[in-house]
């Protein structure tokens, strides 16, 4: 029976997944062509990043037509074929709905620009100061002020992201009705789930200036956001228990997530939150270089695990997506302990309470590409911030050092299918460079190797289906203060799962606070795991231990 708590989602970034027509960009047929690979991995859902008509200023998050597929990705027939072929393999397709904003090339915005009052009210317009200053001091997430002036109108429109991504006015009931229609349109064509982009930013509240910060406190988890989500859900997917939905929640609070993803609140199935991935930032500032704060990482992961469980709300659990650097480069080891650290990181996520997400290439341990010049970057946020860092007086080399660690392009390089020149991704010129280590790190060398990272992910996915404790168990941190080990216990109807991870290269001795008598090892990243009252954990060693009461 369908149960999203037993499911695993695989994220496909279509542009970088597999190119079947030689234009250097992945396409829908490319996803269909690789379904056997995904079936072999064992995933239940594929979340696909947007492939709708778009000028691609922000790689498809700037949508110009919600109902049409961008020809560079394929046709509606290709999409329907993908859904059918996926269905044959027990896989469902989730689509990415970008409802906070549209591209300024969208027909609605174009009509607004042309003076159509009805469509003007689809967006957020304000007058600025007499001296030419914008309506308030809110900052765009991609750098600079969040308002753009349109001289013909004498007004400014709001864009929390790029200036070509105009924020929609959800206060307008017509906007909400249009967006509900878009959801129905894709439900009718075979989509079985949705990911909603930055959906906790849709209710803006007031438009005051914020002299303390960038303005996010006014529009994040805004006053009508729960009402809007409830309305959308009840009018569309909420009536179909087979549907799975996930909201991307930017800078959210746990209290709001109890409602967004509560078992009976009628909003969404689950939420992405990002606090655990800001542990290598300084406050909210991402464009800095600091080592990750392990104590903070654990504290955040653990408090979300216990808090959401206590309130019967559901997490999406993940390290990677198309906006994040590669996790093995970030929290693991790209060198000698590449494979054990990649497996350990996978284990941490997949044994948590929540639905795990695997981002393409994570299952084979793909790394950051190590770009060294600006012309290798494609991402608008990275390019903007490079210039912002330079304008602040930072040396070019230091700006590159920061981009190499934090750029969103780290995860957007082509999927490494094999060790040939173009990594088996394309016959043409890839739209973004392929990481040179594809000769060593690639799917072809791992799919049939029982010791590979791929095989480890396969086992993790299978364990969730086999053991109810992984899907349904409670969550208890173990030795939470330990400076190098991340360990926890899950319990469910007489089943116990103890998950122990040495997060570092340095070996560690550890006395588990749980008596491990009678436990067996379900999974490890070393060939000869041993269980005892005192554990000798090797570099990045990871153990999944299990016991069922008689
Ligand atoms: O991202 C929202 C978002 O705020 C971030 O994850 C963003 O990439 C980060 O703050 C930058 O530091 C979503 C999409 O995942 C992202 O790709 C889009 O660019 C963005 O929304 C706009 O639609």
């Amino acid at each position: 029976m369908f149960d999203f708590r037993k499911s695993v989602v695989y994220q496909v970034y279509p542009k970088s997944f597999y190119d079947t027509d030689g234009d250097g960009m992945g396409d829908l047929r490319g996803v269909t062509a690789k379904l056997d690979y995904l079936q072999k991995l064992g995933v239940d859902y594929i979340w696909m990043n947007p492939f709708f008509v778009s000028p691609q200023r922000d790689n498809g998050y700037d949508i110009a037509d919600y109902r049409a597929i961008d020809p560079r990705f394929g046709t509606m027939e290709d999409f329907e074929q993908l859904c059918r072929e996926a269905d044959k393999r027990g896989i469902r397709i989730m689509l990415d709905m970008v409802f906070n904003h549209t591209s300024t090339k969208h027909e609605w915005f174009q009509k607004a620009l042309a003076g159509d009052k009805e469509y003007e009210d689809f967006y957020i317009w304000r007058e600025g100061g007499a001296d030419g200053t914008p309506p308030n001091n809110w900052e765009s997430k991609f750098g600079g002020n969040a308002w753009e002036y349109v001289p013909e109108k004498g007004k400014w429109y709001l864009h929390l992201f790029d200036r070509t991504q105009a924020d929609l006015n959800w206060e307008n009931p017509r906007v909400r009705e249009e967006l509900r229609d878009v959801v129905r349109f894709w439900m009718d064509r075979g989509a079985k789930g949705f990911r909603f982009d930055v959906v906790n930013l849709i209710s803006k509240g007031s438009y005051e200036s914020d002299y303390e910060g960038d303005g996010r406190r006014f529009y994040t988890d805004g006053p009508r956001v729960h009402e809007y989500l409830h309305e959308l859900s009840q009018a569309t997917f909420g009536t179909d228990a087979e549907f799975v939905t996930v909201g991307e929640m930017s800078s959210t609070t746990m209290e709001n997530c109890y409602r967004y993803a509560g078992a009976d609140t009628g909003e969404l199935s689950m939420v992405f939150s990002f606090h655990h991935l800001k542990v290598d930032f300084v406050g909210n500032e991402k464009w800095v270089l600091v080592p990750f704060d392990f104590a903070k990482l654990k504290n955040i992961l653990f408090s979300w695990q216990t808090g959401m469980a206590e309130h019967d709300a559901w997490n999406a659990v993940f390290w990677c997506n198309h906006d994040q650097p590669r996790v093995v480069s970030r929290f693991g080891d790209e060198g000698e302990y590449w494979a054990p650290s990649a497996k350990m990181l996978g284990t941490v996520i997949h044994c948590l309470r929540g639905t795990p997400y695997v981002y393409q290439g994570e299952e084979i341990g793909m790394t950051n590409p190590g770009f060294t010049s600006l012309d290798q970057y494609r991402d608008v946020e990275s390019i903007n911030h490079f210039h912002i860092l330079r304008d602040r007086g930072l040396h070019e080399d230091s700006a590159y050092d920061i981009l190499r660690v934090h750029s969103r392009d780290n995860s957007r390089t082509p999927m490494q299918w094999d060790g040939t020149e173009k990594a088996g991704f394309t016959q043409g010129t890839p739209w973004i460079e392929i990481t040179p280590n594809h000769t060593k790190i690639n799917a072809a060398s791992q799919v049939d190797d029982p010791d590979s990272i791929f095989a480890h992910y396969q086992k993790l996915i299978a364990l969730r289906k086999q053991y109810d404790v992984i899907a349904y168990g409670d969550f208890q941190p173990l030795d939470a203060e330990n400076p190098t080990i991340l360990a926890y216990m899950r319990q469910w109807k007489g089943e116990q799962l103890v998950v122990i991870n040495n997060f570092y290269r340095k070996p560690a001795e550890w006395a588990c606070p749980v008596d491990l008598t009678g436990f067996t090892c379900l999974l490890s990243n070393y060939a000869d795991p041993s269980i005892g009252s005192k554990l000798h954990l090797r570099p990045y060693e990871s153990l999944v231990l299990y016991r069922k009461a008689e």
Side-chain angles (χ1 to χ4, degrees), residues 359-372:
Y359 176 69
Q360 65 182 48
E362 178 186 341
E363 76 283 9
I364 56 167
M366 276 178 62
T367 65
N368 291 346
F371 289 160
T372 51

Side-chain angles (χ1 to χ4, degrees), residues 294-310:
F294 179 62
K296 196 168 164 190
L297 172 67
K298 268 208 300 192
N299 188 15
I300 294 169
L301 269 184
F302 289 178
S303 57
W304 277 76
Q305 284 286 303
T306 44
M308 293 289 273
E310 276 164 20

Side-chain angles (χ1 to χ4, degrees), residues 458-472:
Q458 252 180 336
K459 288 174 204 153
L460 286 168
I461 294 167
L463 286 179
R464 170 165 294 262
K465 307 206 181 313
Q466 200 180 339
Y467 292 93
D468 283 351
V469 63
I470 300 182
Y472 309 123

